[in-house]
Amino acid sequence: MTSLPKQALHYIGGEWSGDPSVPRHDPANGTTVVAVSPAGDEADIDSAIAAAEAAQGEWAALPAPTRGEVIQLAADHIAADRDSIAEDMTREEGKLLTEALGEVQRTIDVLRFFAGEGQRSRGDLLASSSPDTELRVTRHPVGVAGLITPWNFPMAIPAWKAAPALVAGNTVVLKPAALTPMSANHLARAFAAAGAAPGVFNVVHGDGPSPGHALATDARVGAVSFTGSTEVGWKIHENVSGRRGRVQLEMGGKNATVIRPTADLNYAAQAIAQSSFGLTGQACTATSRVICPADMMDDLLDLLVGHARAISPGSGLDPSSSMGPVVSATQAQKVRGAIDAAVADGAEVVCGGSTDDGTTFVSPTVLNGVNASSAAAQKEIFGPVVALLRADGLDEAIDLADNVRYGLVASIFTKRIDEAMEFSHRVQTGVVKVNRPTTGLDLNVPFGGVKDSSSATFREQGTTATDFYTWTKTTYLGW
Ligand code: NAD
């Protein structure tokens, strides 16, 4: 039975609005329309910012634990509806239903974590150099937070930006990715059902640069948090810092896994397969390069190819699929183009490849003999493709790992503590994993990268996530 397309609408000032005329086609078949959403423009962004600005004072005046209770209720609404939310996510993004359920759970967990931050919200009391004086440091909301988000984690990323912003007393305007409108719609529904006052949480749908640009360039938006491609991120950085606003960027990655001679190869190959091909390789933390000593390469390849060949791509809703499609035909073409370019640069396709069967399914692809300066070793592909490079010594491996513009996550597989420590101290990434896959991060620790992976300012997630959405005031209390 074919189900009707789901309708996403703008949520502005507590009202649902817009003409849902933009179709989203099922990434698994390219034809069925799974969702429709409105094409938001500058005027919609303007209304949403006005609504957020009008609501901010009252929202900030609520006690922080009360704001936390609203966030907690939003989490409860999502939890009550998790199966249908996950199904909508799979239909629009393509990921496996199990992966979508995992993301919905992550959303619930993130909201609950920051709801609790409402109870723990605090400042500092410091000694003064003057007698009969105390120094208080308190935190205050920036005002309106503008959130611009990608399609690959269409609910968890908006949630992990919105929740710290809201608990700290800001109101929010979210511009989600056009490919995944329903996931943002479900988040808005949850905040509406939780009783967030009109204007506290707003969503404007829309494709292309203009709605996001309007949000980033508006002086009423005190803080802009962006997750997406590095190219778009740095443009937003220019726009926001040019108007002296506060900006946070989480962007691309080209994450390396380093294999050392003492590594448990079975376990390492399993971890690489999981982080290179899980979520169809469409994770900023995916392993896209493996750096391995020459005399271990054949064994690693055998194991990795075994895992890759055991994966059966198919619709995310089909329980027999073990990898979903690439998010769109355009993205599938980009991934195939990157495989072709790798071959032209001298790489060998050990399994998978760029065969175009007219679908959005790309087989898990392992590239061997990849030149360290070629595009396959340098550029983010954002698909189920992993490039193998050779390095015998630890120094050489660290140099190769760092030899990219990105610096998000790196991992090493070794049983030697000295190698693990040296790697974790020296490698230029925001997250380091020892004997663990590059993907999968706890929500209670800061997350972000260096170089072209993140702006060099504030981190997301963990208790310090609220720093981005607040400024400090120092008060001298004398008597
Ligand atoms: P994208 O940069 O194309 O789009 C991201 C968002 O920006 C979308 O909402 C889009 O509409 C908006 N946008 C586009 N142009 C804009 C402009 N000029 N001004 C303002 N907004 C604009 O990214 P994508 O294709 O949706 O997502 C994939 C990318 O996201 C990958 O590069 C991936 O690595 C990255 N990503 C990073 C992280 C992280 O935490 N570092 C997490 C997930 C995804």
Side-chain angles (χ1 to χ4, degrees):
M1 193 178 74
T2 330
S3 43
L4 287 173
K6 298 288 179 84
Q7 267 199 3
L9 292 173
H10 302 315
Y11 186 61
I12 301 174
E15 304 284 338
W16 297 97
S17 63
D19 168 22
S21 55
V22 181
R24 169 62 175 137
H25 294 97
D26 184 343
N29 67 30
T31 49
T32 315
V33 176
V34 289
V36 283
S37 62
D41 57 16
E42 288 89 343
D44 299 307
I45 291 284
D46 179 64
S47 307
I49 296 172
E53 198 179 38
Q56 199 264 326
E58 273 189 35
W59 175 249
L62 292 175
T66 308
R67 293 195 296 267
E69 279 166 26
V70 174
I71 298 170
Q72 174 71 41
L73 278 175
D76 295 346
H77 283 286
I78 294 169
D81 229 1
R82 72 177 77 218
D83 291 338
S84 65
I85 294 174
E87 196 175 315
D88 284 352
M89 188 185 291
T90 289
R91 283 186 198 283
E92 66 180 8
E93 205 271 352
K95 61 181 68 178
L96 300 176
L97 193 54
T98 47
E99 293 171 338
L101 278 164
E103 179 170 346
V104 174
Q105 186 59 49
R106 176 66 167 221
T107 303
I108 295 163
D109 294 345
V110 160
L111 293 175
R112 288 184 174 153
F113 176 82
F114 286 106
E117 287 300 285
Q119 296 283 354
R120 292 184 287 270
S121 162
R122 63 194 172 100
D124 286 323
L125 190 62
L126 289 101
S128 169
S129 56
S130 307
D132 299 336
T133 309
E134 270 178 8
L135 301 177
R136 290 171 70 224
V137 181
T138 46
R139 284 203 166 263
H140 302 268
V142 168
V144 175
L147 316 178
I148 303 173
T149 54
W151 45 262
N152 68 322
F153 288 110
M155 197 173 201
I157 291 178
W160 79 53
K161 291 180 189 296
L166 291 171
V167 80
N170 303 272
T171 50
V172 158
V173 177
L174 166 66
K175 209 305 280 171
L179 293 176
T180 48
M182 284 311 298
S183 300
N185 214 64
H186 283 304
L187 199 57
R189 271 197 329 127
F191 279 111
V200 168
F201 183 87
N202 305 274
V203 176
V204 176
H205 298 280
D207 198 6
S210 68
H213 181 79
L215 186 58
T217 49
D218 196 301
R220 293 169 293 175
V221 179
V224 176
S225 181
F226 166 86
T227 298
S229 64
T230 297
E231 289 63 33
V232 172
W234 287 129
K235 272 187 215 153
I236 290 178
H237 194 279
E238 263 178 54
N239 288 327
V240 183
S241 49
R243 65 171 177 82
R244 299 181 189 162
R246 187 180 278 197
V247 60
Q248 175 183 54
L249 309 174
E250 292 305 337
M251 305 180 282
K254 190 73 191 169
N255 311 301
T257 288
V258 168
I259 305 292
R260 297 301 302 145
T262 56
D264 175 341
L265 265 195
N266 277 310
Y267 174 47
Q270 189 192 328
I272 293 164
Q274 178 186 327
S275 45
S276 299
F277 308 134
L279 294 156
T280 321
Q282 300 175 126
C284 56
T285 53
T287 294
S288 56
R289 294 177 298 148
V290 175
I291 299 169
C292 179
D295 61 0
M296 299 174 80
M297 190 62 95
D298 286 348
D299 290 343
L300 178 67
L301 267 174
D302 279 352
L303 291 165
L304 195 50
V305 167
H307 285 292
R309 293 208 170 121
I311 292 173
S312 43
S315 162
L317 292 176
D318 180 345
S320 68
S321 310
S322 44
M323 191 178 83
V326 170
V327 75
S328 65
T330 313
Q331 188 64 23
Q333 257 175 15
K334 276 193 202 162
V335 175
R336 292 192 175 105
I339 298 170
D340 288 340
V343 173
D345 284 334
E348 175 203 355
V349 176
V350 187
C351 69
S354 65
T355 312
D356 189 354
D357 56 1
T359 74
T360 44
F361 295 99
V362 176
S363 298
T365 297
V366 178
L367 300 171
N368 193 18
V370 174
N371 183 321
S373 59
S374 68
Q378 294 290 326
K379 289 193 176 168
E380 184 183 51
I381 296 175
F382 224 55
V385 181
V386 63
L388 269 63
L389 298 107
R390 265 149 236 254
D392 290 326
L394 182 63
D395 285 345
E396 196 191 344
I398 295 174
D399 287 349
L400 261 187
D402 283 342
N403 178 34
V404 288
R405 63 191 287 220
Y406 301 105
L408 197 54
V409 191
S411 73
I412 185 167
F413 283 80
T414 179
K415 291 197 181 102
R416 280 180 49 176
I417 187 76
D418 57 332
E419 284 189 337
M421 292 307 289
E422 186 165 351
F423 183 79
S424 72
H425 278 265
R426 279 176 53 193
V427 75
Q428 294 296 301
T429 53
V431 180
V432 182
K433 303 257 197 119
V434 176
N435 298 317
R436 291 290 178 270
T438 55
T439 50
L441 291 147
D442 286 287
L443 57 82
N444 58 346
V445 285
F447 170 61
V450 295
K451 303 197 285 187
D452 273 352
S453 289
S454 296
S455 48
T457 47
F458 299 88
R459 292 294 192 220
E460 298 201 287
Q461 308 202 48
T463 52
T464 52
T466 48
D467 290 359
F468 176 67
Y469 300 100
T470 51
W471 49 276
T472 58
K473 180 186 281 185
T474 303
T475 303
Y476 282 69
L477 264 178
W479 64 91

